[in-house]
């Protein structure tokens, strides 16, 4: 019983601890999981909101520069239409545009072949000598690149579409890939497209704008065309010798880089994650949109702007928060386990006391004292019921002890009475044996006298007959005397027996 109690109580306490702790841990983990999930979503959404604002701000800044270039071109275009018959004046227009706006690095006005008599090809081109090295002196030329201008993109595209447009960065052999060109077809009075005016904008200017936008320490912006060509990237070192995002993706083994690149140039808005340099990155992207204006008759540019974030910049504090929350949770759980253990142990003290008391009662100690409960819960009620049961058991035990004593005493009396009865029986037997022995001689004498009288009644004399009769009478009196003594003894014994029975009835009644 003691071994069972030593096993059962700790097991019950441990089971209660485990049940409470497991339920608390499950609820806590569920709450933390929900909180951390929505916290992560909120951080990503906040980063996405910041990225959208950054992209819109960058887009607006770049578009303002583009609109300035466009407006400048449209302003000079009005005058060009009035002086199409003055080819030399085209150099003046080009110089005026480049001199007036410092971030324009070149301007070209080219006409279709044989537009001017005696000149198969005519182009007026003015550009800064070496703006990268700070040399802004103007250079005038009639050629551009290693190919005839009629074969170059900045000329062919507006001539074929008859619409103003922005070109993607030109191939290296054409323009060293350093400028974007705004191209505007020149239309004569007969609505014929006779030439193109192209204004060059350095990518370095846009790169400075993009590079100045850093929402986080490791973030950067990119501007891509729909074919994946880099228009702008904030880190020129990463793009050394690389012209498209596909070339950059091919240099990274992780396929997520190409997937992210496809998403950026898809013309949609959203974000993607990718692996690069053994780190996880987020790219938030949106299509580049012109500001809608009535006097801006041109198609939207098929560009996409993106902001690249290092995951740690977005979720670094979140990861630290996770570790902090986990540490606090572990410490809290340990503290709760200890506290729960102490509380459960304290709550189980009455049960431990009842177990020890039950063990002693089971061993026969019915007078074990159980204190009165100091609490009103189920355990307190159990303690009070056990106390009442123990008191009732102790009272019954006392009654049983007293009854046992009385039964023992009565047994002794009965044993003694039995001994007395057995002694009386022996005395009766002895007495009867004695009496029968005493009556044997008179009986024999009476028998002989009777036999003698019966056998010789004819011949016996009167004297002898009187003698025999006197013998019979004398011996009969002896027998009667013995019988009187026997009857007297039996009467005394019956009175004593009746008295003993009466005494036992009185004792039983008193009990």
């Amino acid at each position: 019983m003691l071994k069972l109690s030593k096993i059962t109580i700790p097991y019950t306490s441990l089971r209660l601890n485990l049940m409470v702790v497991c339920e608390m841990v499950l609820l806590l983990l569920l709450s933390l999981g929900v909180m951390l999930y929505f916290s992560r979503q909120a951080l990503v959404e906040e980063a996405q909101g910041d990225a959208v604002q950054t992209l819109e701000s960058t887009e607006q800044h770049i578009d303002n520069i583009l609109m300035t270039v466009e407006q400048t071109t449209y302003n000079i275009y009005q005058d060009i239409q009035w002086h199409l018959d003055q080819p030399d004046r085209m150099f003046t227009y080009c110089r005026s545009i480049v001199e007036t706006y410092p971030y324009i690095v070149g301007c070209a006005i080219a006409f279709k072949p044989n537009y001017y008599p005696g000149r198969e090809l005519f182009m007026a081109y003015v550009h800064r000598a070496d703006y990268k090295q700070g040399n802004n002196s103007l250079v005038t030329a009639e050629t551009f690149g290693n190919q005839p201008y009629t074969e170059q993109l900045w000329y062919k595209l507006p001539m074929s579409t008859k619409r103003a447009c922005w070109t993607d960065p030109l191939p290296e052999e054409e323009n060293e890939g350093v400028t974007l060109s705004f191209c505007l077809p020149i239309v004569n009075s007969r609505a014929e497209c006779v030439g193109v005016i192209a204004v060059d904008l350095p990518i370095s200017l846009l790169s400075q704008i993009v590079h100045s936008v850093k929402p986080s320490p490791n973030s950067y912006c990119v501007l891509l065309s729909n074919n994946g060509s880099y228009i702008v990237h904030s880190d020129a070192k990463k793009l050394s010798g690389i012209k498209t995002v596909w070339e950059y993706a091919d240099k990274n083994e992780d396929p997520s880089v190409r997937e992210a690149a496809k998403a950026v140039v898809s013309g949609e808005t959203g974000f993607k994650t990718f692996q690069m340099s053994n780190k996880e990155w987020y790219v938030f992207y949106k299509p580049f949109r012109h500001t809608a204006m009535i006097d801006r008759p041109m198609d939207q540019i098929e560009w996409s702007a993106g902001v690249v974030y290092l995951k740690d910049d977005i979720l670094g504090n979140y990861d630290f928060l996770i570790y902090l929350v986990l540490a606090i949770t572990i410490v809290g759980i340990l503290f709760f386990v200890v506290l729960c253990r102490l509380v459960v142990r304290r709550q189980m003290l009455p049960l431990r006391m009842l177990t020890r008391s039950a063990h002693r009662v089971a061993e026969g100690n019915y007078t074990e004292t159980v204190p009165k409960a100091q609490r009103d819960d189920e355990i307190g009620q159990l303690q009070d019921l056990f106390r009442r049961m123990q008191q009732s058991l102790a009272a019954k035990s006392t009654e049983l002890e007293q009854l046992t004593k009385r039964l023992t005493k009565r047994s002794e009396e009965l044993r003694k009475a039995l001994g007395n009865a057995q002694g009386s029986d022996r005395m009766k037997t002895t007495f009867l044996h004695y009496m029968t022995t005493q009556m044997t001689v008179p009986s024999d004498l009476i028998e002989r006298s009777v036999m003698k009288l019966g056998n010789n009644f004819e011949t016996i004399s009167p004297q002898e007959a009187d003698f025999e009769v006197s013998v019979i009478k004398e011996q009969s009196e002896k027998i009667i005397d013995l019988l009187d003594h026997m009857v007297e003894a039996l009467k005394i014994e019956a009175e004593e027996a009746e008295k003993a029975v009466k005494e036992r009835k009185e004792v039983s009644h008193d009990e």
Side-chain angles (χ1 to χ4, degrees):
M1 182 67 182
L2 180 60
K3 293 181 179 180
L4 181 60
S5 65
K6 288 183 178 179
I7 294 174
T8 303
I9 295 299
Y11 174 74
T12 303
S13 176
L14 178 61
R15 185 172 62 182
L16 288 175
N17 285 332
L18 289 177
M19 288 175 60
V20 174
V21 170
C22 289
E23 291 178 1
M24 187 277 294
V25 170
L26 181 62
L27 180 61
L28 181 61
L29 292 179
L30 182 62
S31 301
L32 288 178
V34 173
M35 182 191 71
L36 293 176
Y37 172 78
F38 285 105
S39 298
R40 181 185 179 91
Q41 293 295 107
L43 288 175
V44 173
E45 289 175 1
E46 182 180 1
Q48 187 174 9
D50 292 341
V52 170
Q53 292 180 359
T54 300
L55 291 174
E56 290 178 351
S57 175
T58 304
E59 178 185 80
Q60 187 62 47
H61 197 168
I62 293 175
D63 194 46
N64 288 338
I65 295 176
L66 298 182
M67 281 196 298
T68 302
V69 173
E70 294 169 10
Q71 191 61 44
T72 301
T73 307
Y74 278 116
N75 291 339
I76 205 73
Y77 173 77
Q78 302 294 332
D79 199 46
I80 290 175
Q81 284 186 315
W82 289 101
H83 301 89
L84 287 176
D85 56 345
Q86 302 178 24
D88 294 336
R89 192 180 180 94
M90 302 304 160
F91 290 96
T92 304
Y93 292 141
C94 292
R95 180 176 293 273
S96 175
I97 291 176
V98 176
E99 286 180 345
T100 304
Y101 299 97
Y103 46 80
I104 293 177
V105 296
C107 178
I109 301 176
F111 290 88
K112 66 181 181 179
N114 300 314
Y115 180 75
Y116 291 112
R119 295 185 178 183
E120 182 180 359
L121 298 176
F122 175 79
M123 183 182 74
Y125 179 47
V126 176
H127 64 94
R128 301 184 188 277
D130 192 356
Y131 69 92
K132 291 184 179 180
Q133 302 298 326
N135 183 2
N136 290 320
S137 59
L138 301 183
V139 176
T140 301
E142 294 185 2
T143 60
F144 177 76
N146 299 323
Q147 295 176 325
Y149 65 81
T150 54
E151 299 178 8
Q152 296 180 19
L153 181 64
W154 63 271
Y155 177 84
K156 292 191 299 182
L157 186 60
M159 288 294 288
S160 61
T161 62
K162 298 182 180 181
R163 295 182 63 86
C165 63
W166 282 91
T167 64
D168 293 337
L170 299 177
E172 185 173 356
E173 64 270 19
E174 293 185 7
N175 196 23
E176 300 180 355
V178 295
T179 62
L180 299 173
S181 297
F182 176 67
C183 307
L184 182 64
I186 301 173
V187 180
N188 60 15
S189 58
R190 293 188 298 273
E192 296 175 347
C193 187
V194 296
V196 174
I197 176 172
V199 179
D200 298 332
L201 183 68
I203 288 180
S204 59
L205 175 62
L206 302 182
S207 297
Q208 290 174 5
I209 296 172
V210 171
H211 187 67
S212 63
V213 179
K214 291 181 70 67
S216 66
N218 299 293
S219 64
Y220 57 89
C221 294
V222 293
L223 194 62
L224 301 175
S225 66
N226 63 336
N227 62 4
S229 299
Y230 281 108
I231 298 172
V232 173
H233 195 292
S234 60
D235 191 350
K237 295 180 180 179
K238 291 184 178 181
L239 301 177
S240 178
I242 298 176
K243 300 302 179 185
T244 67
V245 70
W246 311 120
E247 296 178 31
Y248 190 72
D250 291 339
K251 290 183 177 296
N252 291 272
E253 297 180 357
D254 199 299
S256 61
V257 177
R258 179 170 287 273
E259 294 297 323
K262 289 181 180 179
V264 173
V265 300
S266 65
E268 298 178 355
T269 300
F271 72 93
K272 274 279 187 181
T273 59
F274 63 95
Q275 295 286 336
M276 185 176 64
S277 302
N278 296 323
K279 294 181 180 180
E280 189 170 355
W281 300 77
Y282 279 82
V283 57
F284 299 89
Y285 50 86
K286 69 182 294 293
F288 186 91
R289 297 293 183 219
H290 281 308
T291 302
M293 297 179 64
I294 297 176
D295 56 348
R296 199 175 189 185
M298 63 179 299
D299 296 331
Q300 288 289 344
I301 302 177
E302 294 183 350
W303 294 347
S304 297
V307 178
V308 181
Y309 284 88
L310 183 63
K311 179 183 176 182
D312 291 341
D313 290 347
I314 300 176
L315 301 176
N317 292 332
Y318 173 81
D319 294 337
F320 173 76
L321 178 62
I322 290 179
Y323 297 137
L324 180 62
V325 169
L326 288 177
I328 294 175
T329 301
I330 293 173
V331 173
I333 290 175
L334 293 177
F335 175 76
F336 183 79
V337 169
V338 174
L339 181 62
C340 184
R341 176 65 176 170
L342 294 176
V343 171
V344 172
R345 187 179 181 85
R346 180 178 178 84
Q347 295 295 319
M348 297 293 288
L349 284 177
L351 291 180
R352 295 177 183 275
M353 182 271 295
L354 292 178
T355 302
R356 291 192 295 267
S357 298
H359 172 68
R360 286 192 287 269
V361 170
E363 290 180 343
N365 186 10
Y366 301 115
T367 59
E368 172 71 19
T369 302
V370 178
K372 187 176 181 180
Q374 303 297 322
R375 45 203 288 185
D376 297 329
D377 57 3
E378 290 81 358
I379 296 179
Q381 295 175 9
L382 177 63
Q383 183 177 349
D384 284 338
L385 291 174
F386 187 83
R387 178 170 174 270
R388 291 168 55 188
M389 181 185 71
Q390 184 274 330
Q391 291 175 348
S392 177
L393 186 61
K396 295 296 182 182
S397 176
T398 303
E399 292 179 3
L400 288 174
E401 289 179 358
Q402 293 176 357
L403 181 59
T404 301
K405 290 180 180 179
R406 288 196 298 270
L407 291 175
T408 302
K409 182 179 179 181
R410 183 174 297 178
S411 298
E412 292 295 332
E413 292 175 353
L414 290 175
R415 191 178 294 109
K416 185 177 179 180
L418 178 62
N420 293 335
Q422 290 175 347
S424 298
D425 289 340
R426 286 193 297 270
M427 288 178 64
K428 289 179 182 179
T429 303
T430 303
F431 176 73
L432 290 174
H433 180 71
Y434 172 75
M435 294 300 290
T436 55
T437 302
Q438 292 297 321
M439 286 188 293
T440 301
V441 175
S443 298
D444 290 340
L445 291 175
I446 291 171
E447 183 181 5
R448 283 197 300 270
S449 294
V450 171
M451 289 296 293
K452 187 175 180 181
L453 288 174
N455 294 328
N456 302 309
F457 70 90
E458 294 179 352
T459 62
I460 192 170
S461 62
Q463 292 82 8
E464 290 178 353
D466 292 337
F467 176 76
E468 293 298 332
V469 170
S470 63
V471 170
I472 291 172
K473 182 179 180 180
E474 181 182 357
Q475 296 302 319
S476 296
E477 289 177 354
K478 286 183 180 180
I479 290 175
I480 291 171
D481 187 51
L482 288 173
L483 289 174
D484 289 339
H485 283 293
M486 185 183 296
V487 170
E488 186 66 24
L490 290 174
K491 184 178 180 181
I492 292 171
E493 184 180 357
E495 290 177 353
E496 290 180 353
E498 184 179 357
K499 184 179 180 180
V501 171
K502 185 176 181 181
E503 290 178 354
R504 284 197 295 271
K505 288 183 179 181
E506 291 177 354
V507 171
S508 299
H509 181 70
D510 293 339
E511 291 176 352

